[in-house]
């Protein structure tokens, strides 16, 4: 709660119990205590605010806000009230009100450093950069401390970053910030490193690279001490901007002489030397080569320099990887330039990699180091290279029935490196199915043997041999995808479940389990697996798609709701959290981090995943609530949905997904490419557009429900109703356009790598027939509205069109249902086959039926008044020969047909549940293998999880459909 110990206030003792109650979560007691205190001390403002905090936390937001407004109107200046109001406004997500609070306090107490400081931070929370600049200068005038002055300077930089007009940024904000800092430099008032960093930042943004370089190399640069080589790195950055390659080369060479294992400087050294060769640069006849000393400007010098680093490394007691990898990097660059003569001076890449393996093969980094350079090997020599490496691995002597196994972890790591390189070079991919199965068996034998070395490992540590298991699973996935054999997928699950018992913290095991279970249509086991990954902060955005993509599509609505909430909580808290980071950066002078925090916040606000989860969450809420526990109108209102508003930042959408989250040892041609990422983003955006437009169309339905006006009335545009149908028609037109684009995309039949992007639900949406059903139902809205506007007389043609639409829609829904028939899980030749598409089609059917029902309810609300009117006329005139217009009989047949169809689907689901319950999965075994007790246990676990998940999905789908049927029966026409 608020800081109160330092406040010398006689009321502090009285307030203390309320603070304590609030701190301990006893909000009701806090309210009671505040009421007691206010009876005796009516003017104790802080007690009112504390009561408001209690009310806010018990869900009485309106009462809390009224109390807060009452106190704020008095413009309090006591610290307790101000702090308490700040806490309340933050909890209400109204940070802009805090600024008004401290603006008033500053007017009343103009010389308070504390209130001015609070006002500055309040502006920082809401990004009021101009006011921050003014508040910073006002604070500096009261208390002339450097940090306050530079707060104002930083606020100018933030105005330049946020300015829409780049010209304004370069001509006004940044030059003004530069002049402000120069004034301090001239007066010799620069005190801290942060102030120098800020000066450098301004000059860099203005493009004054030479001036920035002069600052770093000059007296002010001496203050840059908090980071290792901070000064050198900034100099290097400026040399690159200025294309001063001699200085780049000399500086990187000098830094490599100090530390020959620093990889970033090898890259700069090579970049600069090839630039100098390209420019045919030569040193001046007299004096130094450059400001930074001697320059290397030929390939011969580069070769010699790297050889010297290796010779120097040989003298060290500690082996360094940098010089050896630099040699391979130089060969790659020389080869790229076509300078083979120079390349051969460094040696044969194959031999160099072999020597590198001999030196570092027992280190886990060896594979990742060599992975970058395998393209230097000719394809014809890959097998020979692998055999050469195997000759260096210390293994036991093989016998007829036993493999050659490592005697210690060093040998295991060496062998594991060779196996990883074998897959990377594509040697496993060229094998036939039987060879691959032999590889899987061998890898698993090695995995089980390797477990001996990890008996003392903690649960949080990974087993030394985990990669053997992962590689075996990758080979099984190859068999599954190439031969379309489900049993390879089942075996992969069994191996991963076993691996997880030995390495409970192995994220790769969990991620692969999530991926395979989802592809088999089983979502239930995935929830706990994803939860156990314990995703932190930004990971909710980067890997969250693995969970949210499948949550709803596999019929686990409760889990889907939970998954969406989990993701949205992170995104919503980001805004508040980032504001706090920015404030801390101001307080501690970490100015260079502030633009980074702003960029980070924008990156998350514009996240594709955020937009997707938000849209899917609202559709899911409507699916689970609308016309079940609340009306569609109430549901739409509670979500503040408006059909004309599109709050998705389409132009600025950011794809933050981590598409390399899975370890992969696939060759480059099989790995995730930039083209795959581009296509996946296109697909994700198209699907999001479809879902967003669907949501907006549904949210527009309640706006059309209005009393029917008499025919030819002048009031057809009352309350903008006419414009509302225009919005619906416009959205429908947009949807048609996006659907056409989506169909064209699906027709391209793009295949992503298994461990790459996850395809959207778009292909299933089209193939299930639900796309056509949903579009047809939306077109029906327009016809019903037209009937409503024109009345029942002289609308025979419209009524006929509506009747035909009812019949057509029913027929389309029956076709969708036909694709929902069949077994989800079946036994063929003693093996399990899954058909997850049936489950996904059922989910699409439920969603489509819901949309159809909402449209049907709208039809009902339009037709009902007309029917009552006709019935009144019949009673009044006592006539029985008044004919009912054909639209009523069409509608009744249509509703009866819908009820019958939903009942049939429910019967089908019941049948699927019965069949699933009757399956005896424990009697099944994997082909070509005599299972041990351990394997049988994991087989049973996997089968049980999938079976249970299917049952759970069917149960949730069935329950939702039953509720839809009950709603359908309540239609009154």
């Amino acid at each position: 709660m608020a800081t109160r110990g330092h406040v010398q206030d006689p009321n502090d003792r009285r307030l203390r119990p309320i603070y304590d109650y609030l701190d301990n979560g006893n909000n009701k007691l806090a309210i009671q205590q505040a009421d007691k205190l206010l009876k005796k001390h009516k003017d104790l403002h802080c007690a009112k605010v504390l009561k408001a905090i209690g009310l806010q936390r018990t869900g009485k937001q309106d009462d809390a806000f009224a109390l807060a407004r009452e106190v704020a109107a008095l413009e309090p200046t006591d610290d307790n009230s101000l702090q308490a109001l700040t806490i309340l406004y933050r909890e209400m997500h109204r940070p802009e009100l805090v600024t008004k609070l401290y603006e008033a306090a500053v007017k009343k107490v103009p010389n308070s450093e504390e209130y001015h400081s609070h006002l500055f931070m309040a502006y920082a929370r809401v990004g009021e950069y101009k006011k921050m600049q003014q508040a910073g200068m006002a604070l500096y005038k009261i208390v002339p401390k450097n940090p306050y002055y530079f707060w104002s300077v930083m606020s100018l930089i933030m105005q330049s970053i946020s300015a829409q007009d780049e010209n304004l940024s370069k001509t006004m904000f940044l030059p003004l910030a530069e002049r402000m800092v120069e004034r301090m430099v001239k007066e010799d008032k620069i005190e801290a490193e942060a102030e120098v960093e800020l000066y450098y930042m301004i000059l860099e943004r203005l493009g004054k690279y030479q001036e920035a370089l002069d600052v770093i190399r000059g007296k002010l640069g001496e203050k840059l001490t908090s980071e290792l080589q901070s000064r050198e790195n900034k100099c290097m950055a400026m040399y690159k901007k200025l294309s001063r390659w001699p200085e780049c080369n000399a500086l990187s060479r000098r830094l490599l002489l100090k530390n020959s294992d620093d990889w970033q400087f090898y890259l700069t050294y090579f970049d600069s030397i090839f630039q100098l060769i390209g420019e045919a640069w030569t040193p001046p006849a007299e004096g130094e080569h450059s400001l930074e000393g001697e320059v290397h400007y030929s390939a011969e010098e580069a070769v010699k320099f790297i050889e010297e680093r290796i010779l120097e490394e040989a003298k060290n007691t500690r082996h360094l990887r940098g010089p050896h990898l630099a040699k391979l990097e130089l060969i790659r660059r020389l080869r790229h330039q076509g300078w083979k003569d120079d390349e051969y001076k460094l040696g044969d890449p194959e031999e160099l990699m072999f020597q590198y393996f001999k030196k570092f093969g027992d280190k886990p980094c060896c594979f990742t180091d060599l992975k970058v350079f395998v393209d230097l090997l000719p394809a014809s020599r890959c097998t020979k290279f692998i055999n050469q490496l195997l000759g260096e691995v210390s293994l036991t002597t093989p016998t007829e029935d036993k493999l050659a196994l490592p005697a210690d972890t060093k040998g295991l790591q060496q062998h594991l490196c060779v196996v990883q390189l074998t897959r990377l070079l594509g040697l496993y991919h060229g094998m036939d199915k039987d060879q691959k199965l032999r590889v899987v068996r061998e890898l698993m034998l090695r995995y089980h043997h390797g477990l001996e070395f990890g008996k003392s490992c903690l649960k949080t540590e990974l087993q030394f041999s985990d990669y053997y298991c992962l590689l075996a699973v990758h080979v099984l996935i190859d068999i599954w995808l190439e031969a379309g054999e489900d049993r390879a997928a089942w075996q992969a699950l069994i191996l991963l479940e076993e691996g997880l018992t030995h390495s409970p913290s192995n994220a790769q095991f969990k991620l692969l389990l999530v991926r395979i279970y989802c592809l088999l249509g089983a979502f239930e086991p995935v929830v706990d697996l994803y939860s156990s990954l314990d995703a932190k902060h930004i990971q909710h955005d980067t890997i969250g798609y693995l969970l949210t993509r499948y949550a709803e599509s596999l019929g686990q609505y409760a889990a889907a709701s939970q998954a969406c909430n989990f993701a949205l909580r992170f995104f919503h808290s980001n805004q508040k959290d980032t504001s706090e980071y920015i404030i801390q950066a101001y307080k501690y002078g970490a100015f260079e981090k502030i633009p980074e925090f702003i960029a980070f916040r924008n990156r998350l606000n514009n996240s594709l995943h955020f937009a997707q989860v938000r849209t899917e969450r609202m559709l899911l809420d409507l699916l689970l609530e609308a016309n079940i526990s609340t009306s569609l109108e109430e549901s739409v209102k509670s979500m503040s949905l408006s059909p004309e508003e599109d709050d998705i930042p389409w132009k600025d959408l950011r794809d933050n997904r981590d598409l390399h989250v899975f370890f992969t040892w696939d060759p480059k041609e099989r790995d995730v490419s930039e083209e795959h990422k581009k296509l996946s983003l296109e697909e994700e955006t198209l699907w999001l557009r479809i879902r967003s437009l669907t949501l907006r169309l549904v949210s527009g339905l309640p706006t059309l429900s209005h009393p029917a006006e008499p025919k030819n009335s002048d009031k057809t545009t009352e309350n903008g109703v006419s414009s509302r149908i225009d919005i619906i028609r416009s959205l429908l037109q947009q949807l048609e356009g996006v659907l056409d684009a989506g169909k064209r995309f699906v027709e391209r039949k793009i295949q992503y790598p298994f461990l790459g992007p996850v395809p959207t639900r778009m292909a299933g949406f089209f193939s299930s027939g639900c796309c056509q059903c949903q579009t047809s139902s939306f077109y029906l809205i327009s016809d019903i509205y037209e009937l409503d506007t024109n009345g029942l007389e002289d609308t025979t043609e419209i009524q006929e069109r509506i009747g035909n639409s009812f019949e057509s829609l029913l027929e389309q829904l029956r076709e969708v249902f036909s694709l929902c028939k069949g077994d989800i899980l079946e036994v063929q030749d003693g093996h399990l086959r899954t058909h997850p598409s049936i489950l996904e089609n059922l989910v699409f059917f439920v969603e489509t039926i819901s949309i159809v029902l909402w449209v049907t309810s709208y039809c009902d609300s339009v037709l009902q008044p007309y029917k009552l009117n006709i019935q009144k006329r019949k009673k009044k005139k006592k006539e029985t020969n008044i004919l009912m217009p054909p639209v009523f009989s069409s509608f009744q047949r249509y509703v009866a047909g819908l009820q019958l169809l939903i009942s049939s689907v429910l019967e089908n689901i019941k049948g699927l549940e019965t069949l699933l319950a009757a399956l005896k999965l424990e009697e099944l075994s994997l082909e070509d293998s005599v299972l041990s007790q351990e394997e049988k246990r994991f087989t049973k676990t996997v089968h049980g999880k999938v079976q249970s998940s299917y049952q759970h999905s069917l149960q949730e789908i069935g329950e939702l459909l039953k509720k839809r049927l009950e709603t359908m029966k309540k239609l009154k026409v």
Side-chain angles (χ1 to χ4, degrees):
M1 281 303 301
T3 309
R4 0 176 242 284
H6 70 285
V7 181
Q8 299 303 312
D9 189 330
N11 289 318
D12 193 37
R13 181 178 49 78
R14 296 175 187 138
L15 293 168
R16 190 172 298 281
I18 311 175
Y19 280 120
D20 291 339
Y21 286 136
L22 288 171
D23 283 343
N24 296 323
N26 297 328
N27 298 313
K28 286 183 180 176
L29 286 174
I31 295 166
Q32 288 169 14
Q33 186 67 29
D35 281 333
K36 280 182 193 174
L37 194 54
L38 286 166
K39 278 179 186 175
K40 293 178 184 176
H41 306 275
K42 288 182 182 177
D43 297 328
L44 190 50
H45 307 319
C46 187
K48 275 188 186 176
V49 184
L50 294 176
K51 180 185 174 180
I53 292 173
L55 289 167
Q56 164 72 14
R57 291 177 184 178
T58 50
K60 295 174 182 174
Q61 282 91 349
D62 293 342
D63 295 343
F65 191 57
L67 265 181
R69 205 161 40 188
E70 197 181 305
V71 176
L74 299 169
E75 298 182 348
T77 55
D78 64 293
D79 196 37
N80 275 346
S81 297
L82 289 169
Q83 292 266 19
L85 276 167
T86 302
I87 288 165
L88 177 62
Y89 288 147
R90 272 194 224 162
E91 289 185 12
M92 286 178 163
H93 305 291
R94 298 288 303 273
E96 72 281 1
L97 296 176
V98 180
T99 61
K100 291 182 172 56
L101 204 61
Y102 279 103
E103 279 169 357
V106 161
K107 277 180 188 173
K108 286 189 173 182
V109 192
N111 291 324
S112 168
E113 180 184 0
E114 187 181 353
Y115 290 169
H116 273 283
S117 176
H118 280 305
L119 178 60
F120 180 89
M121 295 309 174
Y123 286 141
R125 278 196 180 87
V126 292
E128 289 270 13
Y129 302 125
K130 185 167 180 57
K131 289 183 177 177
M132 285 164 69
Q133 179 202 341
Q134 293 162 350
M137 283 313 291
L139 189 50
Y140 181 69
K141 283 172 186 172
I142 297 163
V143 189
K145 292 179 182 174
N146 270 23
Y148 300 150
Y149 186 86
F150 283 95
W151 284 4
S152 187
V153 175
M154 186 64 216
S155 303
L156 273 168
I157 295 175
M158 293 314 299
Q159 283 179 74
S160 82
I161 291 169
S162 60
Q164 298 294 320
D165 184 356
E166 195 178 332
N167 191 41
L168 189 69
S169 169
K170 290 276 175 76
T171 56
M172 191 172 93
F173 297 123
L174 289 172
L176 179 55
E178 183 189 13
R179 285 198 298 275
M180 283 180 75
V181 180
E182 279 175 350
R183 183 178 145 200
M184 297 296 270
V185 173
K186 282 172 188 170
E187 293 173 11
D188 200 21
K189 286 184 179 177
I190 298 282
E191 295 170 354
E193 181 179 4
E195 294 157 18
V196 180
E197 292 268 13
L198 193 57
Y199 192 20
Y200 172 80
M201 193 196 302
I202 295 164
L203 293 169
E204 188 183 13
R205 285 179 180 275
L206 277 168
K208 295 186 174 182
Y209 304 131
Q210 185 57 55
E211 289 87 336
L213 185 62
D214 293 341
V215 168
I216 301 303
R217 288 177 61 86
K219 189 182 172 187
L220 289 175
E222 291 169 11
K223 293 184 185 293
L224 300 172
T225 55
S226 65
E227 284 182 35
L228 195 66
Q229 293 172 336
S230 170
R231 204 174 177 186
E232 288 86 347
N233 285 330
K234 282 181 168 58
C235 279
M236 192 77 82
M238 289 304 102
Y239 287 142
K240 284 181 184 175
K241 296 265 189 189
L242 291 161
S243 297
R244 288 174 60 171
W245 300 111
E247 278 78 8
C248 266
N249 180 273
L251 180 56
S252 55
R253 188 189 66 81
R254 190 153 50 80
L255 291 166
L256 285 169
L257 289 172
K258 280 187 193 173
N259 177 10
S260 59
D261 208 31
D262 199 325
W263 186 247
Q264 63 168 325
F265 295 126
Y266 277 114
L267 297 178
T268 310
Y269 175 77
F270 293 141
D271 287 343
S272 60
I273 210 163
F274 283 104
Q275 285 284 351
L276 292 170
I277 293 168
E279 293 169 10
W281 183 88
T282 52
E286 291 180 15
E288 288 284 336
H289 283 196
S290 73
L291 279 173
E292 297 289 349
E294 188 188 338
V295 177
H296 288 172
Y297 54 96
S298 67
E300 290 79 7
E301 284 176 304
V303 169
K304 187 184 173 191
F305 180 70
I306 296 302
E307 291 288 7
E308 284 170 1
R309 302 287 64 70
I310 288 172
L311 287 171
E312 188 186 288
E313 186 271 340
K315 295 172 190 172
N316 278 345
T317 49
R318 187 171 72 88
H319 289 312
L320 301 177
R321 292 148 54 216
H324 300 281
L325 293 172
K327 202 171 190 179
L328 288 163
E329 177 65 21
L330 184 54
I331 290 173
R332 181 219 288 286
R333 294 195 183 214
L334 289 167
R335 187 174 287 189
H336 183 67
Q337 296 286 345
W339 300 337
K340 293 204 171 179
D341 293 343
D342 292 306
E343 175 200 324
Y344 293 134
K345 288 175 189 172
L346 286 157
D348 177 23
E350 187 181 334
E351 180 58 28
L352 290 173
M353 283 193 267
F354 173 61
Q355 293 301 327
Y356 188 84
F357 175 79
K358 282 171 75 175
K359 199 165 254 191
F360 300 104
D362 59 329
K363 303 285 187 293
C365 61
C366 184
F367 168 74
T368 47
D369 288 346
L370 293 179
K371 180 182 179 179
V372 185
F373 302 107
V374 290
D375 57 336
L376 297 175
L377 286 172
S380 58
R381 297 185 64 84
C382 289
T383 308
K384 179 179 175 290
F385 175 65
I386 291 296
N387 289 332
Q388 191 182 9
L389 295 185
L390 278 172
E392 282 300 310
V393 181
S394 49
L395 301 173
T396 58
T397 310
T399 59
E400 279 185 22
D401 58 338
K402 280 192 176 180
L403 287 169
L405 298 167
D408 52 23
T409 53
K410 185 179 174 181
L412 184 144
Q413 193 57 62
Q414 284 177 321
H415 187 269
L416 202 45
C417 181
V418 178
V419 174
Q420 291 175 86
L421 285 167
T422 306
R423 182 162 176 87
L424 182 68
L425 292 168
L427 300 183
Y428 287 157
H429 295 92
M431 295 178 175
D432 62 29
K433 181 189 156 188
D434 290 335
Q435 288 173 316
K436 284 179 180 174
L437 285 171
R438 278 199 294 277
V439 166
V440 170
R441 281 194 285 273
E442 182 190 324
L443 289 170
M444 286 312 291
L445 281 169
R446 292 189 178 282
Y447 168 66
H448 290 126
H449 171 259
L451 293 175
E452 297 293 319
F453 303 123
K455 284 181 175 176
S456 60
C457 285
L458 300 172
K459 281 191 175 182
T460 49
E461 293 177 317
L462 305 186
Q463 289 290 330
F464 295 105
S465 60
D466 276 356
Y467 278 7
Y468 282 126
C469 185
L470 272 176
L471 283 156
V473 169
H474 282 218
V475 177
L476 283 168
I477 289 168
D478 292 345
I479 297 170
W480 180 29
L481 299 177
E482 287 161 18
E485 294 188 19
D486 270 15
R487 51 180 167 266
W490 289 106
Q491 195 173 349
L493 285 176
I494 290 160
L495 300 188
L496 288 167
E497 288 283 6
E498 181 187 352
L500 206 55
T501 59
H502 299 297
S503 280
S505 298
N506 193 314
Q508 287 299 314
F509 286 163
K510 292 173 187 178
L511 287 166
L512 273 171
L513 280 166
V514 164
R515 190 88 172 83
I516 299 171
Y517 273 128
C518 284
L519 281 173
L520 291 179
F523 190 74
E524 195 174 50
V526 167
V527 180
D528 287 339
L529 281 165
Y530 186 83
S531 177
S532 69
L533 278 168
D534 198 17
K536 295 283 191 295
H537 203 62
I538 189 68
Q539 289 176 319
H540 292 303
D541 190 21
T542 57
I543 65 170
Y545 70 95
L546 293 169
L547 185 72
T548 53
R549 155 64 182 88
Y550 290 101
E552 186 186 347
S553 64
L554 296 176
Q556 305 255 338
Y557 298 115
S561 191
Q562 194 180 358
C564 289
N565 278 344
F566 205 59
L568 288 174
R569 203 175 299 132
F570 159 68
F571 285 110
H572 289 145
S573 67
N574 157 57
Q575 196 75 23
K576 183 163 66 84
D577 293 347
T578 315
S579 297
E580 295 309 313
Y581 305 152
I582 292 164
I583 284 166
Q584 293 306 314
Y586 271 108
K587 278 184 181 175
Y588 295 106
F591 296 121
E592 76 282 3
K593 295 294 173 197
I594 294 169
E596 289 178 28
F597 288 139
I598 302 287
F600 177 74
R601 180 166 66 191
N602 293 339
R603 177 184 160 191
L604 289 184
N605 287 343
N606 298 330
S607 164
L608 170 73
H609 182 56
F610 180 29
Q612 286 171 326
V613 173
R614 203 174 50 195
T615 306
E616 290 297 342
R617 171 69 227 230
M618 288 191 276
L619 278 166
L620 187 61
D621 279 353
L622 289 178
L623 197 66
L624 299 176
E625 300 296 334
N627 284 1
I628 291 175
S629 58
T630 57
S631 69
L632 178 64
E633 189 175 0
E634 285 170 342
S635 294
V636 167
K637 193 178 175 184
S638 70
M639 291 182 204
S640 306
L641 277 171
S642 176
E644 62 268 23
E645 284 179 23
D646 184 4
D647 60 352
I648 295 172
W650 295 106
K651 287 182 181 176
D652 300 317
L653 273 183
R654 284 284 305 265
D655 185 4
N656 298 330
R657 293 173 300 162
D658 181 359
L659 298 176
H660 295 283
V661 67
F662 291 97
F663 286 175
T664 175
W665 297 273
D666 287 333
K668 199 173 181 179
E669 65 274 8
R670 285 173 171 257
D671 206 356
V672 182
S673 67
E674 288 306 311
E675 183 63 17
H676 289 134
K677 292 177 188 177
K678 189 179 158 193
L679 287 166
S680 174
L681 177 58
E682 186 186 340
E683 182 182 351
E684 295 284 351
T685 309
L686 277 170
W687 180 236
L688 177 58
R689 282 190 186 275
I690 292 169
R691 302 298 278 171
S692 173
L693 285 166
T694 304
L695 177 65
R696 288 168 69 193
L697 278 162
V698 171
S699 70
L701 269 172
T703 65
L704 297 176
S705 300
H706 65 287
E709 295 291 346
K711 189 183 173 186
N712 300 328
S713 165
D714 293 331
K715 295 185 180 179
T716 48
T717 57
E718 189 179 349
N719 297 326
V721 171
S722 181
S723 65
R724 286 173 195 160
I725 192 65
D726 291 340
I727 290 166
I728 297 285
R729 285 168 181 159
S730 166
L731 289 173
L732 196 47
Q733 203 176 351
Q734 289 176 52
L735 182 63
E736 283 283 16
V738 177
L739 289 172
D740 285 342
K743 281 172 190 166
R744 287 196 299 274
F745 187 92
V746 168
E747 281 162 11
R748 289 156 74 182
K749 294 187 176 170
I750 291 153
Q751 292 290 319
Y752 304 114
F754 178 81
L755 299 174
V758 180
T760 65
R761 299 168 64 197
M762 192 159 66
F765 182 58
F766 290 120
S767 64
S768 66
C770 289
C771 165
Q772 196 182 348
C773 287
Q774 291 184 19
T775 314
S776 300
S777 64
F778 289 133
Y779 273 115
L780 190 56
I781 298 169
S782 187
D783 287 341
I784 292 288
Y785 180 84
E786 205 175 326
L787 178 75
D788 189 17
T789 311
N790 295 304
L792 290 176
E793 295 169 20
D794 305 325
T795 53
T796 316
E797 192 185 318
I798 298 173
Q799 290 186 48
E800 193 179 325
R801 195 162 71 227
I802 290 169
N804 291 336
S805 295
F806 284 150
E807 283 178 31
S808 169
L809 191 53
L810 260 178
E811 192 51 46
Q812 286 170 17
L813 283 165
R814 288 187 192 111
E815 283 174 26
V816 173
F817 173 43
S818 68
L819 295 172
C820 300
K821 292 175 180 176
D823 294 335
I824 300 174
L825 197 61
E826 62 173 339
V827 181
Q828 286 182 354
D829 307 322
H831 294 285
L832 277 177
R833 277 197 70 79
T834 59
H835 302 284
S837 60
I838 289 171
L839 205 54
E840 293 202 42
N841 287 345
L842 267 172
V843 170
F844 272 130
F845 178 83
V846 172
E847 189 179 289
T848 306
I849 274 290
S850 300
I851 290 171
V852 167
L853 174 59
W854 295 326
V855 173
T856 307
S857 297
Y858 168 63
C859 298
D860 188 68
S861 71
V862 168
L863 294 174
Q864 200 181 329
Y866 285 112
K867 190 172 183 181
L868 288 170
N869 200 21
I870 291 168
Q871 285 170 343
K872 278 178 190 173
R873 277 166 54 203
K874 272 187 178 182
K875 281 181 183 177
K876 206 173 186 181
K877 296 183 178 180
K878 294 182 181 176
E879 291 179 31
T880 53
N881 61 347
I882 295 177
L883 290 172
M884 275 284 183
V887 73
F888 291 108
S889 54
S890 300
F891 185 68
Q892 283 163 349
R893 282 197 303 275
Y894 165 68
V895 171
L898 281 177
Q899 288 180 16
L900 189 65
L901 178 63
I902 297 173
S903 299
S904 303
V905 179
L906 283 167
E907 282 299 312
N908 181 54
I909 290 171
K910 204 172 178 182
L912 289 172
E913 286 182 288
T914 308
L915 281 168
L916 267 177
L919 276 178
K920 304 286 184 206
L921 300 185
E922 64 272 10
E923 293 172 9
L924 298 171
S925 64
L926 292 167
E927 189 186 36
D928 303 331
S929 61
V930 179
L931 297 183
S932 66
Q933 285 300 114
E934 189 80 351
E935 286 171 314
K936 279 181 184 173
R937 182 164 68 87
F938 291 116
T939 305
K940 190 178 176 183
T941 301
V942 168
H943 288 169
K945 282 182 178 181
V946 173
Q947 187 178 22
S948 166
S949 181
Y950 287 165
Q951 287 170 323
H952 191 168
S953 293
L954 289 171
Q955 187 186 347
E956 286 205 40
I957 293 167
E959 282 172 7
L960 191 51
L961 261 182
K962 278 176 199 168
K963 288 173 182 173
R964 291 282 171 239
L965 184 58
E966 285 165 20
T967 312
M968 192 72 76
K969 286 174 181 174
K970 289 174 189 171
L971 296 177
K972 289 166 187 170
V973 172

